Amino acid sequence: MAIIAASSATVLIFQFARPFGEAVSLSLALMCTMILIHLLIGRARDRGAVSEAVDRLEDRMADLDEDVGNLEGRLTGMEHTMPRRTRAEIDPLFAEVEVLGTLVKQMAEAMSDLETRVEDQQALAPPSHAGALPHYGQAPPQPLTDRPAALHPPQMAPAGAVPLNAMPVEVNAPRHEPPVPQEFRQASEAAVNPFVNRQASPQPQESAGRGDMAEWDRRYGVTPPRPAVNQPPVPDGPPVPEHQFGQTLSSVDEFPLEDDGLMQPEPSGPERPQPNLAMRDLITSALNANRVELHLQPIVTLPQRQVKYYEAFTRLRDADGNAVEAAVFLPEAVLSGQIARIDNLLLFRSIQVIKRLTSRNRNAMLFCNISSVSLVDETFFPGFLEFVKSNQTYSDVLIFEFSQSDVASMGAMELESLNALYDAGFRFSIDRISDMKMDFNSLAGRGFKFGKLHADYLIGRREANHGHIHPSDFGDLLHRYGMELITDHVETESQVLELLDYDVNLAQGNLFSPPRPVRAEVLQGAPAPGPGARKTATG
């Protein structure tokens, strides 16, 4: 536009010989006119574009209004139809649950009635046909002439008393169900004593009285003893000592048994394991030469498989450098009394490892396996407790782990040591669970926060003592008590797939990582929990 205006001024000056001022004025007027026209055209074009955009927006708003109306109609229909459909689907389930509840209630009542009947029958059941019964220092009962001879069990009477077999018996006794006298009930209670003098005295009247007892025997399922054939007479032995009621027999020799094969002495307890001198020497030499290694195995989350916790294991090495696992040397270490030294070293090194772990990850935890024997070691546990109290800041990340067999066999002293650790802020884990009927509620009250179960137990590949608890519900059972389930010994991917079906959150096994040794620079220093532990370590 400026060029056009300048050209117009030049033409007016040179072509039409107009004055310079007039030509410039006309050219400026022309340029302003062109600018005004251009602005008007631009505004008209912008107004049209805006109008077109507004029209499209109105059309879109109309479509949105229509879609919202349709959605409101569908939501209204769902609000009216969904409750009816849900009620129609749930009502049969409610009815079935109500029927099941009624059946369970009836079953409980039937079981209660059955238990009552069983208890009544046990109270009325006749005594077993044993030999002689112990004498309780009471006056001998009066003979009943209307009572069949089969109801009189042989009694051991004091010297000078008339034998029970010599009492007169009425052969032609009336055939009816005889009453149960008081002395018969006393004899029934005394029949459960295992130390009974089985003297087979001949009873000539037994066959006569047997017919009167047929109804009684048929009612309670009692099988009469068969009379001995050609049994030699029993020689008179030493007098049998009297046994007062409520007194416990000290030995079987107080009431000698007949060689009839019916009463055998109870088998003795398990034999004490024989010491393995070679393994004992290996443990001693490994401890003295500091050939003890600490291995860590991670505990991961499923299905992410992210490392969350660690478990510490102790490994020994022989003179040739071969690793010896804990399952091999721990029995001999417990038997030889060296388990306290091993637990001492494990604790000290675990504290060193946990310091390194917490510097990198505040949520890391370390499971430390110790033996229940160390809890009652008078020379080890006081120093052990003093050491853990001095490192009480790590109570939230250091978990002491015990096997289920050790926990089940803990006595008052072990539980008192556990309470001391619990008061110091430490928590515990129970390992190698095979009995799911254990009282895990009381264990949770004593500070147990984790439980480890073999993966094969959980997925049903190995039979466990679970009672009425299905293995798949074991994790929920521990969760109700505030405990967390860790599935260990996971070796294959197929186990992982099955564990995911049971909503397992934590797992441990060689599939994720085998136990790996801790670097030597992390384990610098010597363990020194306290004076008691140092005394144990030196001798």
Side-chain angles (χ1 to χ4, degrees):
M1 286 185 287
I3 294 173
I4 294 174
S7 300
S8 300
T10 303
V11 170
L12 288 176
I13 293 174
F14 294 100
Q15 183 69 27
F16 296 99
R18 305 299 298 174
F20 178 78
E22 184 180 355
V24 172
S25 300
L26 292 175
S27 63
L28 289 176
L30 178 63
M31 186 175 67
C32 291
T33 304
M34 289 188 296
I35 290 174
L36 181 60
I37 294 173
H38 178 73
L39 289 177
L40 292 176
I41 294 173
R43 288 191 62 182
R45 187 187 303 113
D46 293 340
R47 189 181 296 108
V50 171
S51 300
E52 184 178 358
V54 170
D55 294 339
R56 290 198 303 268
L57 184 59
E58 289 179 353
D59 295 339
R60 185 58 181 169
M61 289 294 294
D63 295 338
L64 288 177
D65 291 339
E66 184 178 359
D67 293 340
V68 169
N70 295 333
L71 185 59
E72 289 179 353
R74 295 179 62 182
L75 288 176
T76 304
M78 290 181 63
E79 289 177 355
H80 288 84
T81 58
M82 283 300 294
R84 292 196 298 269
R85 293 177 58 184
T86 304
R87 176 65 64 180
E89 294 177 357
I90 292 179
D91 284 344
L93 295 179
F94 284 161
E96 293 181 3
V97 170
E98 186 176 0
V99 171
L100 289 176
T102 305
L103 292 177
V104 170
K105 183 178 180 180
Q106 294 177 355
M107 184 182 300
E109 294 176 353
M111 290 297 295
S112 177
D113 188 19
L114 181 60
E115 290 179 357
T116 304
R117 293 183 181 180
V118 170
E119 291 177 357
D120 294 342
Q121 288 195 2
Q122 288 179 353
L124 296 177
S128 58
H129 293 274
L133 295 174
H135 181 68
Y136 295 108
Q138 300 175 354
Q142 298 296 330
L144 300 176
T145 57
D146 58 344
R147 183 173 165 193
L151 281 177
H152 293 271
Q155 299 284 341
M156 292 187 295
V162 181
L164 189 60
N165 294 334
M167 292 182 181
V169 178
E170 184 177 352
V171 177
N172 297 323
R175 294 179 175 272
H176 61 85
E177 182 176 345
V180 183
Q182 182 67 23
E183 62 271 19
F184 178 76
R185 294 185 179 179
Q186 295 176 356
S188 175
E189 296 174 356
V192 300
N193 196 322
F195 303 102
V196 178
N197 185 17
R198 298 179 177 274
Q199 296 180 353
S201 301
Q203 298 180 2
Q205 290 86 1
E206 183 176 355
S207 60
R210 204 50 241 175
D212 296 329
M213 288 301 299
E215 182 64 26
W216 184 276
D217 293 342
R218 283 195 302 270
R219 180 176 180 181
Y220 292 103
V222 179
T223 304
R226 297 183 179 179
V229 180
N230 298 328
Q231 182 176 4
V234 180
D236 295 335
V240 180
E242 293 186 358
H243 178 65
Q244 299 299 328
F245 185 76
Q247 179 182 357
T248 304
L249 297 177
S250 59
S251 64
V252 185
D253 297 334
E254 296 184 8
F255 290 96
L257 305 179
E258 293 289 336
D259 294 333
D260 54 359
L262 296 178
M263 296 294 295
Q264 298 293 340
E266 296 183 359
S268 59
E271 297 182 357
R272 182 181 178 87
Q274 297 297 327
N276 188 346
L277 299 181
M279 181 58 65
R280 183 174 300 183
D281 293 340
L282 189 150
I283 297 173
T284 304
S285 62
L287 289 173
N288 294 334
N290 197 19
R291 294 197 303 268
V292 182
E293 296 181 352
L294 185 68
H295 290 225
L296 297 184
Q297 186 176 28
I299 301 173
V300 303
T301 60
L302 291 182
Q304 297 86 1
R305 303 192 182 188
Q306 295 179 353
V307 177
K308 190 170 186 180
Y309 307 136
Y310 289 91
E311 182 174 0
F313 298 94
T314 303
R315 297 287 187 269
L316 301 182
R317 289 199 178 273
D318 56 13
D320 298 331
N322 299 321
V324 182
E325 294 187 357
V328 178
F329 67 80
L330 276 184
E332 183 58 32
V334 174
L335 186 62
S336 61
Q338 300 183 89
I339 187 64
R341 294 183 62 186
I342 298 176
D343 288 345
N344 176 20
L345 189 61
L346 175 63
L347 173 65
F348 179 75
R349 292 184 171 179
S350 298
I351 292 294
Q352 292 177 318
V353 171
I354 204 63
K355 289 180 181 178
R356 179 66 65 90
L357 290 177
T358 51
S359 63
R360 299 179 180 179
N361 184 6
R362 295 181 179 272
N363 297 325
M365 287 188 181
L366 182 64
F367 288 75
C368 180
N369 289 271
I370 61 175
S371 174
S372 61
V373 179
S374 301
L375 298 178
V376 293
D377 194 322
E378 297 179 355
T379 59
F380 168 75
F381 186 74
F384 174 86
L385 185 60
E386 180 183 352
F387 182 69
V388 297
K389 284 184 177 180
S390 63
N391 293 274
Q392 198 169 355
T393 54
Y394 303 106
S395 60
D396 295 335
V397 293
L398 185 60
I399 307 297
F400 294 113
E401 189 168 84
F402 304 90
S403 64
Q404 187 182 37
S405 58
D406 285 351
V407 174
S409 61
M410 283 183 179
M413 296 182 63
E414 290 88 347
L415 295 178
E416 184 177 356
S417 300
L418 276 185
N419 291 335
L421 292 174
Y422 179 69
D423 293 339
F426 291 89
R427 298 299 179 261
F428 315 110
S429 171
I430 180 169
D431 189 16
R432 285 173 277 177
I433 297 177
S434 59
D435 185 5
M436 302 182 190
K437 299 187 296 181
M438 200 173 192
D439 189 3
F440 293 97
N441 189 13
S442 62
L443 291 182
R446 293 185 178 275
F448 284 83
K449 298 302 179 184
F450 297 91
K452 288 189 177 181
L453 182 66
H454 199 292
D456 289 343
Y457 287 149
L458 186 61
I459 61 182
R461 296 184 181 180
R462 185 181 299 183
E463 186 65 24
N465 185 15
H466 53 77
H468 300 292
I469 304 171
H470 194 275
S472 60
D473 299 329
F474 185 63
D476 295 334
L477 175 68
L478 294 183
H479 184 69
R480 287 198 296 270
Y481 298 146
M483 300 178 63
E484 195 168 1
L485 175 64
I486 300 176
T487 306
D488 56 2
H489 294 85
V490 180
E491 309 293 338
T492 60
E493 292 290 346
S494 61
Q495 289 178 316
V496 176
L497 294 178
E498 295 188 60
L499 292 176
L500 291 177
D501 294 337
Y502 292 116
D503 296 331
V504 174
N505 297 324
L506 295 174
Q508 176 184 2
N510 292 335
L511 175 66
F512 311 114
S513 175
R516 301 183 184 277
V518 181
R519 295 194 304 272
E521 58 269 17
V522 180
L523 305 177
Q524 296 297 328
R534 286 196 294 270
K535 181 179 179 181
T536 303
T538 56

